[in-house]
Amino acid sequence: GSSRTSSRLGCEEGMTKPKTKLYKRRWYIIAAFSLFCLLQGSIFSSWSPIAVSTIAAYPQWTEGTISWQSNLALITSPLFQFPAWCLVAKFGVGPMVKWFAVFPLTICSMFRCLQLVCNVSDGTFTTITFITSICGGWASIIIFTTIGGVVSAWFPSGEQTLATGLAVLAINLGSIVSSLAGPAFVEDPVMLLPDRTNSSGWWNHSHTYPPWLDITWTLRSQIGNFMTFHFLMALVVFALVVVYFPSSPEIPPENAKTIPRLKPMDGLRVALRDRNMFYLLLVNGLTSLPFMWEMSLMDVTLKPFRVNEKVVGYLTSITIIVSGLLIISTSRLNDRFPTKTKTTLLILISLAAICSTILGFQTLGFVATSHNSLFVFVVLSGALLSCGKPILLQAAAEVAYPVPEVVVTALMNQTTCLMTGTFLFLYSLSPTFAAWSPLCLVVAPILGLVALSKAHFLRGPGSCL
């Protein structure tokens, strides 16, 4: 009798589901991670808001120097992806974020402030800024390599899209932080110049530098203060992740999290052979392309409409704010109705395709437009295109099961970098391509819809679909 009793107890114990626990500290984790995302987005966008002032302060700098600050991040991204996977597999998500991303970003930010405390040559300062840009690109890779692991380790299925959305939103908000803080710290050189109308003759007959050139030192000091602002942000984020940022909680938030996924390299091979994953990668890349066009090339494209850079900056900020509201609402909707993920994406991308197509026709001159109409469709198309990103990331992680999240989110990021990088490369090479570049607003979302219609959303264990 005792043997049968012990056998029955052993069976019951074996059939007991693994223990689960939902920690309140998960919101601290996603808040710290989102601030890291905001820091990376802010440092990535450091120079564009103060481009004119920087070129005036550093004679060796040109528009090409400014553009290469962000181009370096895109170019180095594919080169760093494999080492990132290896490091995450060896050390885990927590140490990777703390010591391989936030810490080097903090050190680089500190070195950008050196000009305030010691004499740094222009060449040395330029080198430091390029190294910081590469470090920012590396941080971006870490974000998209670890975001899936962070979210799945700490959040139940009913909150994962929202948690992902908060991190994605923080990256976009980072560009607003620099757009607002940059001009606040660094003045426009035109505002610092005295009236030079009557000084041209003096300039032509004098062999000494005119007094107005002294603004370079004023601008350098102001740029140093702006760099210090980023350094202080980095210190805050570093303190938060050092205080508490483990790779995972002691007890998983739901039973599905106890089922192991594949190793990164094995998962990569599986993901590359998965047809559904291929379609979702296409959707992600194709919807990212017009959003990138709006964020990077809108100022050039809208010049014929007499829209200045300040208005473009306002449009970008409004677009990101509206997209943030949509990201939070659509992410919560997807968490609440996980079986309707494909329907949600089809609706969002269809609306985005309509607004984006109208905007494309307006910028190409195919249809008549006004400033108000142009601005409305810029905001709507950009916001609708970006708000589906968290849902796509979460859907891909489920569709590709048992491929690990670090592989899925990294592949999504690399697809975006590949498509946008190729587009920008062709844009810089061919004037004809540049002239017709707004066609991406028309073609890319429609192709994204076609790819999405072919994908089947079959989810992994523990999900609702």
Side-chain angles (χ1 to χ4, degrees):
S2 61
S3 62
R4 279 185 294 178
T5 302
S6 61
S7 174
R8 191 184 311 116
L9 288 173
C11 251
E12 289 174 356
E13 186 178 342
M15 293 174 62
T16 303
K17 291 184 178 180
K19 218 170 145 188
T20 63
K21 185 175 180 180
L22 203 56
Y23 293 88
K24 290 182 179 179
R25 69 190 78 162
R26 69 190 185 279
W27 297 111
Y28 174 91
I29 294 293
I30 198 61
F33 189 83
S34 296
L35 285 175
F36 165 43
C37 295
L38 185 138
L39 172 68
Q40 188 277 330
S42 181
I43 290 178
F44 179 80
S45 307
S46 295
W47 300 105
S48 295
I50 58 168
V52 175
S53 302
T54 305
I55 292 171
Y58 298 95
Q60 292 180 348
W61 282 49
T62 64
E63 291 182 359
T65 312
I66 300 292
S67 64
W68 270 102
Q69 296 287 346
S70 54
N71 289 344
L72 276 174
L74 288 173
I75 292 171
T76 55
S77 181
L79 302 177
F80 290 152
Q81 186 59 72
F82 181 75
W85 276 330
C86 295
L87 289 170
V88 170
K90 183 173 182 179
F91 296 104
V93 169
M96 195 70 185
V97 170
K98 278 188 279 193
W99 305 113
F100 290 88
V102 179
F103 179 66
L105 206 55
T106 305
I107 297 298
C108 288
S109 300
M110 179 187 70
F111 277 110
R112 290 202 305 182
C113 306
L114 280 180
Q115 58 178 340
L116 289 176
V117 295
C118 62
N119 187 20
V120 178
S121 68
D122 290 4
T124 301
F125 178 72
T126 303
T127 302
I128 290 172
T129 61
F130 279 137
I131 292 173
T132 306
S133 296
I134 293 173
C135 188
W138 165 254
S140 174
I141 295 168
I142 301 304
I143 287 171
F144 283 100
T145 302
T146 58
I147 185 173
V150 170
V151 170
S152 65
W154 287 92
F155 288 85
S157 298
E159 296 176 349
Q160 288 181 4
T161 312
L162 176 60
T164 305
L166 292 174
V168 172
L169 173 59
I171 298 174
N172 294 339
L173 288 176
S175 62
I176 293 184
V177 169
S178 283
S179 296
L180 296 176
F185 279 102
V186 186
E187 294 182 80
D188 191 315
V190 175
M191 304 301 294
L192 293 172
L193 295 177
D195 184 11
R196 293 163 52 192
T197 306
N198 298 321
S199 64
S200 58
W202 174 85
W203 163 257
N204 290 332
H205 294 90
S206 174
H207 297 287
T208 59
Y209 289 105
W212 60 268
L213 278 181
D214 290 339
I215 66 165
T216 57
W217 300 107
T218 302
L219 289 172
R220 290 184 183 206
S221 176
Q222 292 175 351
I223 291 170
N225 292 333
F226 183 41
M227 300 297 100
T228 304
F229 168 73
H230 283 138
F231 174 53
L232 293 175
M233 282 180 60
L235 279 179
V236 170
V237 176
F238 183 59
L240 289 173
V241 296
V242 166
V243 166
Y244 186 77
F245 200 89
S247 297
S248 59
E250 296 83 2
I251 303 171
E254 59 187 20
N255 291 332
K257 305 308 174 192
T258 62
I259 301 173
R261 290 184 181 247
L262 299 173
K263 293 180 179 179
M265 291 302 103
D266 295 333
L268 178 61
R269 285 190 288 269
V270 172
L272 293 177
R273 292 195 299 263
D274 190 308
R275 181 177 295 182
N276 289 323
M277 186 66 192
F278 172 75
Y279 286 135
L280 291 182
L281 289 173
L282 274 181
V283 174
N284 182 62
L286 288 167
T287 53
S288 298
L289 191 57
F291 182 75
M292 177 280 306
W293 179 92
E294 287 198 24
M295 297 296 107
S296 304
L297 304 173
M298 185 165 56
D299 56 338
V300 178
T301 309
L302 297 187
K303 272 185 180 179
F305 298 92
R306 298 182 180 179
V307 178
N308 60 39
E309 291 181 355
K310 183 179 289 188
V311 174
V312 170
Y314 291 147
L315 282 174
T316 302
S317 299
I318 293 170
T319 300
I320 292 174
I321 292 170
V322 174
S323 74
L325 297 174
L326 288 176
I327 282 173
I328 293 173
S329 58
T330 55
S331 296
R332 293 187 66 180
L333 183 69
N334 186 69
D335 283 333
R336 188 173 180 182
F337 303 104
T339 59
K340 304 295 182 182
T341 295
K342 185 173 182 178
T343 303
T344 303
L345 284 172
L346 283 170
I347 292 172
L348 289 175
I349 298 177
S350 296
L351 292 173
I354 293 171
C355 296
S356 185
T357 299
I358 294 173
L359 178 62
F361 287 160
Q362 288 176 329
T363 52
L364 288 168
F366 292 166
V367 295
T369 185
S370 64
H371 276 185
N372 290 338
S373 174
L374 201 63
F375 296 163
V376 166
F377 285 107
V378 164
V379 172
L380 286 178
S381 59
L384 287 167
L385 284 165
S386 64
C387 73
K389 184 89 168 182
I391 301 176
L392 265 176
L393 289 173
Q394 189 57 36
E398 297 293 346
V399 166
Y401 191 91
V403 176
E405 295 92 341
V406 295
V407 172
V408 175
T409 51
L411 282 176
M412 299 287 272
N413 182 48
Q414 291 304 322
T415 305
T416 299
C417 290
L418 179 63
M419 284 202 176
T420 55
T422 303
F423 183 88
L424 289 174
F425 178 72
L426 294 174
Y427 183 93
S428 64
L429 285 183
S430 170
T432 304
F433 185 90
W436 289 94
S437 63
L439 272 179
C440 76
L441 296 171
V442 179
V443 177
I446 295 174
L447 292 178
L449 274 175
V450 174
L452 180 61
S453 67
K454 293 182 176 294
H456 297 287
F457 284 53
L458 302 173
R459 298 195 166 203
S463 62
C464 299
L465 181 62

